[in-house]
């Protein structure tokens, strides 16, 4: 935090040009850090009038990656120079950018304003053709005409490898790494702080009660278990927010204080296995097809199969064991199979062409056999012979 | 007593909402608790998944219109490129704000422009900080569009700095959506499938006024008994129920049985439902044809669908050609000598054959064969002598056009064209009669 603040202060006050990259995994607070620093910066007295900011986001500018016109238009707009640019046609990107900076300098006669470029999702800018935008920005930051600072935010650790050589050489290689490096005790403290109501809350008695409740919760064993589970899964604060928001949304007029049960319920919802849910909703015929595919996977060690093989396996089951399953016609079974395709539980290995018949297209199953067995346990009204078929090995063949 | 209670919304609205969405009260109450009051910020994105016709679109739409929350509803299959999608969202925002003004055409080329125009449109609507909901139906199509449109939508609250929530509806689970570099995870919610009791309750709501509710629910019971194992889709079941009800009521109309004679009614309707499974369920014949058939009182066994093989009439030689092609595709070359020559030699089972006996050719699909082999087999199965005239060759080409044979490889190969037979054994049997 201090580094970044120093860096930006040097640009704005002393007129130095700089560049830096902030790298950290998703949810580690890069944007929050930058916003905080910018807020502090704006409050410093020397800075208020001078600093011009341009915020560019990689996601928004990628519609046409072959040229950087979109980014350029955005820069022009943010610097409020549209009327200056007018209808001029520029030969190259560099000329355009130089013109913009000249215009700024002319506007403010005494000295040129420092400009801060913030590039969010920096790794997406790297995929532009020739990396022109990056090249020019870094170039200007190295030549001493206008004080320009370029700050990039990204979540890819290897972003430097993606830069071209000439761009890399102009970059000052200043990197700030942000990692979530707190342990579980600090995690619980963060949890408490997030949930507590601030002192400015209008209803003081309620705030007091609420905060006491939060303190009580953070010492509760079940709550600690829930948090521990989440902590082991991901240290990211965003998932904590999601969980807490879900729990807090259960608070109503009748239920004013948060309880441990709320948190547990929220955690349970957060962690449900979505594929198991989908399997729960399939019809009995589709479940039989899934079991047939599981057996095929076991026998042939995961080699891809096609519909004919699955149907064959299903027929074998019907002939030997089934009493509760009616013998369906082949097209009906095909329709059930196509439903599984639509739900993407089964995926073809290659795109279906017009020539190949649908029944012979090779597929792979995207479910694990343990997932299927677990789902079968909770499947409502499952006929017993289907369950037995699922659990059996090849011994009955 | 209403199950849905929420201080922000009037109770009358909630009561009406509850009557419109049977069996989905818990999902609706969860959604209401997440939405909070009108000006509360909610999750930046919500992902709702569930089976086909489990009510996702219906519940969302009813909820948003009954409680009159500001929203934009877009189907991603209809607006399949990013530009169409973004423009449609902006157009809907414009049109809902002012009915009198004409909607001026909106040009939105990129997400950049979208964010800017979006902020303008929201300001114009004077929402006073109420949450705006953007609902994207069939969200799995977003994966096919440009790479960054899905992460951008998930973060729309952050990018535009406004009170907006994006709701994604889909059948496919979230794990298959997630882009590789990671993105802001939405809040995922599952709409569970209807159990058999729920299906019964919902289907029984549509009973026609002439008959009693009990009569109709008995009918639904029978229908579910036949179709539940195969299909749980509410829309399909509703379609089948509507089509077959007239037939079910026939004995009552004719005076042969009264409403309570369940055995007679069952005997009457059972073959029809079984026939319906082969035809209407598979969409082989259209529902109007089905109704006509029922009206004429035809035998259920006479129903013929689209795939019925008697539609195709082939000339004499073409039939033999097709049979020869099937034999060529599914028998290995080694066995030709044995089957087709008058004096066959012994076949020695080699090791190679033993290993591959398990996967029979029928399961793996047809194999390509050269033209000469086809002609050779043809000569041996046709009784009288066949001359290799242009007639035969043109029949081969017309079989290819009919897609009963398919050409494998390029047009001009040095060894001659190779073909594959694309029809099944049932078809061949039907022809051979």
């Amino acid at each position: 935090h201090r580094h970044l603040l120093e860096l930006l202060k040097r640009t704005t006050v002393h007129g130095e040009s700089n560049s830096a990259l902030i790298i950290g995994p998703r949810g580690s607070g890069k944007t929050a850090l930058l916003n905080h620093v910018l807020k502090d910066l704006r409050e410093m007295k020397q800075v208020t009038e001078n600093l011009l900011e341009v915020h560019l986001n990689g996601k928004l500018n990628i519609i046409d990656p072959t040229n950087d016109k979109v980014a350029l238009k955005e820069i022009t707009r943010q610097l409020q120079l549209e009327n200056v640019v007018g209808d001029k046609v520029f030969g190259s990107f560099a000329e355009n950018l130089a013109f913009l900076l000249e215009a700024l300098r002319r506007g403010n006669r005494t000295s040129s304003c420092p400009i801060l470029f913030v590039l969010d999702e920096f790794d997406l800018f790297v995929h532009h053709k020739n990396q022109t935008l990056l090249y020019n920005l870094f170039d200007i930051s190295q030549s001493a005409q206008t004080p320009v600072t370029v700050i990039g935010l990204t979540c890819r650790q290897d972003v430097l490898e993606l830069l071209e050589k000439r761009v890399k050489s102009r970059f000052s290689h200043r990197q700030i790494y942000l990692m979530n490096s707190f342990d579980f005790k600090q995690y619980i403290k963060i949890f408490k702080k997030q949930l507590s109501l601030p002192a400015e809350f209008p209803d003081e008695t309620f705030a007091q009660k609420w905060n006491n409740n939060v303190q009580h919760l953070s010492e509760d064993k079940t709550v600690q278990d829930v948090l521990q589970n989440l902590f082991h899964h991901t240290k990211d604060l965003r998932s904590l927010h999601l969980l807490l928001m879900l729990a807090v949304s259960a608070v109503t007029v009748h239920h004013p204080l948060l309880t441990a049960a709320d948190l547990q319920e929220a955690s349970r919802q957060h962690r449900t296995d979505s594929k198991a849910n989908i399997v729960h909703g399939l019809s009995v015929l589709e479940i039989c097809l899934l079991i047939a595919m599981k057996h095929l996977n076991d026998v042939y060690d995961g080699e891809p199969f096609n519909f004919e093989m699955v149907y064959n396996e299903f027929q074998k089951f019907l002939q030997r064991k089934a009493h509760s399953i009616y013998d369906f016609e082949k097209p009906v079974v095909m329709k059930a199979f196509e439903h599984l395709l639509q739900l993407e539980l089964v995926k073809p290995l290659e795109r279906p062409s017009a020539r190949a018949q649908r029944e012979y297209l090779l597929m792979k199953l995207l479910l694990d056999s343990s997932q299927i067995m677990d789902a079968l346990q909770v499947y409502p009204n499952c006929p017993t012979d289907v369950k037995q078929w699922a659990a059996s090995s090849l011994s009955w063949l | 007593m209403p199950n849905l209670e929420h201080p922000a919304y009037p109770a009358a609205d909630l009561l009406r909402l509850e009557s419109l969405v049977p069996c989905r009260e818990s999902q609706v109450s969860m959604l209401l608790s997440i939405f909070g009051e009108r000006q509360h910020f909610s999750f930046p994105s919500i992902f709702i998944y569930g089976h086909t016709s489990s009510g996702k679109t219906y519940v969302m739409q009813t909820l948003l219109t009954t409680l009159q929350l500001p929203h934009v509803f877009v189907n991603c299959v209809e607006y399949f490129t990013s530009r169409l999608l973004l423009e449609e969202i902006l157009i809907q925002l414009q049109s809902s704000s002012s009915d009198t003004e004409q909607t001026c055409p909106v040009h939105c080329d990129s997400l950049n422009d979208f964010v800017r125009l979006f902020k303008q449109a929201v300001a114009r609507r004077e929402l006073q900080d109420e949450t705006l909901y953007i609902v994207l139906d069939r969200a799995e199509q977003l994966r096919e569009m440009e790479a960054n449109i899905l992460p951008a939508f998930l973060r729309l609250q952050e990018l535009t700095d406004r009170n907006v929530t994006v709701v994604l509806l889909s059948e496919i689970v979230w794990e298959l959506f997630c882009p590789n570099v990671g993105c802001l995870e939405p809040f995922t919610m599952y709409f569970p499938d209807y159990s058999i009791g729920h299906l019964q309750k919902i289907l029984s709501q549509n009973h026609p006024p002439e008959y009693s509710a009990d009569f109709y629910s008995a009918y639904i019971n029978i229908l579910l008994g036949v179709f539940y194992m195969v299909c749980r889709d509410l829309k399909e079941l509703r379609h089948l129920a509507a089509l077959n009800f007239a037939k079910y009521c026939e004995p009552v109309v004719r005076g042969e049985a009264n409403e309570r004679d369940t055995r007679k009614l069952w005997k009457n309707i059972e073959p029809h439902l079984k026939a319906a499974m082969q035809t209407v369920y598979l969409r082989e014949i259209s529902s109007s044809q089905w109704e006509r058939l029922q009206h004429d009182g035809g035998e259920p066994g006479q129903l013929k669908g689209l795939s019925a093989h008697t539609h195709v009439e082939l000339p004499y030689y073409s039939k033999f050609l097709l049979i020869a092609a099937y034999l060529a595709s599914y028998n290995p070359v080694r066995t030709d000598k044995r089957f087709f020559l008058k004096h066959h030699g012994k076949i020695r089972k080699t090791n190679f054959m033993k290993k591959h006996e398990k996967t029979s050719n029928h399961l793996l699909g047809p194999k390509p064969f050269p033209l000469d082999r086809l002609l050779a087999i043809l000569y041996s199965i046709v009784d009288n002598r066949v001359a290799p005239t242009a007639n035969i060759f043109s029949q081969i080409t017309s079989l290819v056009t009919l897609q009963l044979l398919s050409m494998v490889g390029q047009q001009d190969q040095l060894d001659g064209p190779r073909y594959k037979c694309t029809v099944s054994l049932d078809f061949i049997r039907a022809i051979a009669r």
Side-chain angles (χ1 to χ4, degrees), chain B residues 191 202 207 228 249 322 325 427:
Chain B
F191 264 46
I202 298 179
H207 69 96
Y228 187 66
C249 299
L322 202 54
F427 193 86

Side-chain angles (χ1 to χ4, degrees), chain A residues 105-139:
Chain A
R105 193 184 300 162
R106 254 183 275 130
N108 191 346
R109 237 147 308 209
T110 48
S111 66
S112 39
C113 307
I115 309 185
L116 171 66
F117 282 95
V118 175
L119 298 175
D120 222 344
E121 309 284 339
F122 189 75
D123 40 302
L124 292 176
F125 280 108
V126 161
H127 292 132
H128 287 200
K129 181 174 145 190
N130 287 343
Q131 300 181 353
T132 25
L133 178 67
L134 295 181
Y135 177 71
N136 283 299
L137 282 179
F138 285 139
D139 198 24

Side-chain angles (χ1 to χ4, degrees), chain A residues 26-27 31 56-64 70-71 73-74 77-78 120-121 123-124 155-156 238 241-243 245-246 249-250 252-254 269-270 272-286 300 306 308-310 312 324-326 328-333 335-336 339 342-345 347 351 354-357 359-360 362 366 379-381 383, chain B residues 5 7 30 33-34 41-44 49-52 82 86 109-113 115-116 138 140 143-144 146 148 151-152 155 158-159 171-176 181-190 192-193 196 226 228-233 236 274 277-278 280-284 330 358-359 361-366 403 406-409 420-424 426:
Chain A
R26 295 240 170 236
T31 322
L56 290 174
N57 192 317
K59 275 206 226 103
L60 300 178
N61 284 320
I62 203 141
I63 289 291
D64 192 0
V70 180
K73 239 178 34 176
E74 185 65 22
R77 212 176 46 76
Q78 288 196 15
D120 222 344
E121 309 284 339
D123 40 302
L124 292 176
C155 64
R156 285 182 68 158
R238 271 197 204 130
H241 274 174
L242 210 73
L243 186 71
M245 216 164 145
L246 195 52
S249 62
T252 64
V253 176
H254 302 287
Q269 253 215 342
H270 189 62
T272 48
D273 182 7
S274 42
K275 286 215 176 133
N277 282 336
I278 292 279
V279 173
H280 186 262
L282 292 177
S283 70
V284 177
L285 183 59
E286 286 154 3
Y300 291 108
N306 62 26
E308 286 292 319
M309 295 193 212
V310 176
N312 204 19
S324 53
I325 313 269
Y326 171 67
F328 294 108
E329 303 274 318
K330 197 162 174 186
V332 179
V333 181
K335 186 161 174 170
H339 189 223
Q342 197 194 2
L343 288 174
E344 293 203 6
L345 287 172
K347 211 164 173 158
R351 311 221 84 213
R355 302 262 192 83
Q357 288 168 283
E359 289 99 353
Y360 294 112
L362 288 174
L366 291 181
Y379 189 74
N381 305 332
Chain B
E5 281 177 8
M30 160 128 278
S33 66
I34 294 175
F41 268 74
S42 177
F43 289 110
Y49 68 100
H51 274 277
T52 340
S82 61
L86 298 175
D109 275 325
S110 65
L111 273 175
N112 223 342
D113 293 336
V115 168
R116 198 167 34 101
R138 302 292 295 272
E140 63 262 16
R143 293 182 298 176
E144 319 285 334
E146 272 133 5
N148 64 324
R155 286 180 165 249
E158 193 186 314
L159 290 174
E171 278 176 12
I172 305 201
V173 301
W174 176 250
E175 282 94 18
L176 293 167
V181 251
C183 54
L184 187 61
E185 296 278 334
F187 166 63
T188 44
M189 190 162 143
Y190 176 57
D193 46 294
I196 194 165
V226 175
Y228 187 66
M229 279 213 173
V230 174
C231 154
R232 288 209 187 166
D233 196 346
E236 300 244 13
K274 296 248 165 30
M277 183 152 10
Q278 263 103 352
V280 176
Y281 176 62
L282 296 174
R283 299 284 190 274
E284 298 246 330
Y330 284 102
K358 282 221 177 104
T359 53
N361 274 337
H362 283 278
L363 294 180
L364 285 177
Q403 293 201 343
S406 73
M407 178 113 76
V408 172
K420 218 159 49 152
C421 177
T422 52
V423 294
S424 62
D426 303 326

Side-chain angles (χ1 to χ4, degrees), chain A residues 9-174:
Chain A
K9 221 164 53 161
R10 271 195 294 195
T11 311
T12 53
V13 179
H14 305 294
E16 237 184 65
S17 291
N18 274 312
S19 51
L21 267 185
I22 304 182
I23 306 182
R26 295 240 170 236
S28 48
K30 306 183 285 293
T31 322
L33 173 68
L34 192 65
N35 284 337
H36 198 67
V37 168
L38 284 177
K39 203 167 66 126
D40 284 343
L41 202 61
R42 282 188 216 117
E43 284 164 12
M44 290 185 352
K45 277 201 227 97
Q46 304 126 314
V47 179
T48 30
E49 279 115 45
N50 282 348
L51 187 63
L52 282 174
E53 295 173 32
V54 176
H55 289 266
L56 290 174
N57 192 317
K59 275 206 226 103
L60 300 178
N61 284 320
I62 203 141
I63 289 291
D64 192 0
T66 51
N67 63 10
D68 291 313
K69 284 210 203 97
V70 180
L72 197 55
K73 239 178 34 176
E74 185 65 22
I75 297 180
T76 322
R77 212 176 46 76
Q78 288 196 15
L79 290 174
Q80 288 162 349
L81 286 176
E82 273 121 341
N83 36 2
V84 176
V85 168
D87 292 321
K88 290 209 207 292
V89 176
F90 291 103
S92 79
F93 186 88
E95 283 181 19
N96 199 352
L97 202 55
F99 178 77
L100 285 178
L101 292 172
E102 267 296 314
L104 277 177
R105 193 184 300 162
R106 254 183 275 130
N108 191 346
R109 237 147 308 209
T110 48
S111 66
S112 39
C113 307
I115 309 185
L116 171 66
F117 282 95
V118 175
L119 298 175
D120 222 344
E121 309 284 339
F122 189 75
D123 40 302
L124 292 176
F125 280 108
V126 161
H127 292 132
H128 287 200
K129 181 174 145 190
N130 287 343
Q131 300 181 353
T132 25
L133 178 67
L134 295 181
Y135 177 71
N136 283 299
L137 282 179
F138 285 139
D139 198 24
I140 294 183
S141 76
Q142 293 290 36
S143 55
Q145 300 160 1
T146 335
V148 158
T149 304
V150 180
I151 304 210
L153 301 168
T154 176
C155 64
R156 285 182 68 158
Q157 311 272 16
D158 61 342
V159 67
L160 275 188
E161 326 294 329
L162 296 170
L163 290 177
E164 277 185 24
K165 195 166 76 95
R166 55 189 177 135
V167 180
K168 206 152 107 171
S169 60
R170 286 176 171 73
F171 173 55
S172 71
H173 285 256
R174 209 175 270 120

Side-chain angles (χ1 to χ4, degrees), chain B residues 70 97 119-130:
Chain B
S97 65
K119 289 196 215 178
Q120 283 176 3
V122 169
R124 247 183 307 188
R125 271 190 76 169
E126 296 157 355
L127 280 174
Q128 288 142 357
D129 275 349
E130 278 185 21

Side-chain angles (χ1 to χ4, degrees), chain A residues 272-323:
Chain A
T272 48
D273 182 7
S274 42
K275 286 215 176 133
N277 282 336
I278 292 279
V279 173
H280 186 262
L282 292 177
S283 70
V284 177
L285 183 59
E286 286 154 3
I287 291 272
C288 290
L289 286 180
L290 274 185
I291 299 177
M293 285 190 248
K294 173 175 105 78
H295 281 302
L296 276 178
N297 267 343
D298 289 336
V299 169
Y300 291 108
D301 280 330
E303 272 188 27
F305 50 82
N306 62 26
F307 172 67
E308 286 292 319
M309 295 193 212
V310 176
Y311 187 64
N312 204 19
E313 195 68 33
F314 180 56
Q315 292 285 72
K316 281 198 267 187
F317 165 61
L318 283 179
Q319 280 155 13
R320 279 168 214 264
K321 283 209 176 179
H323 310 292

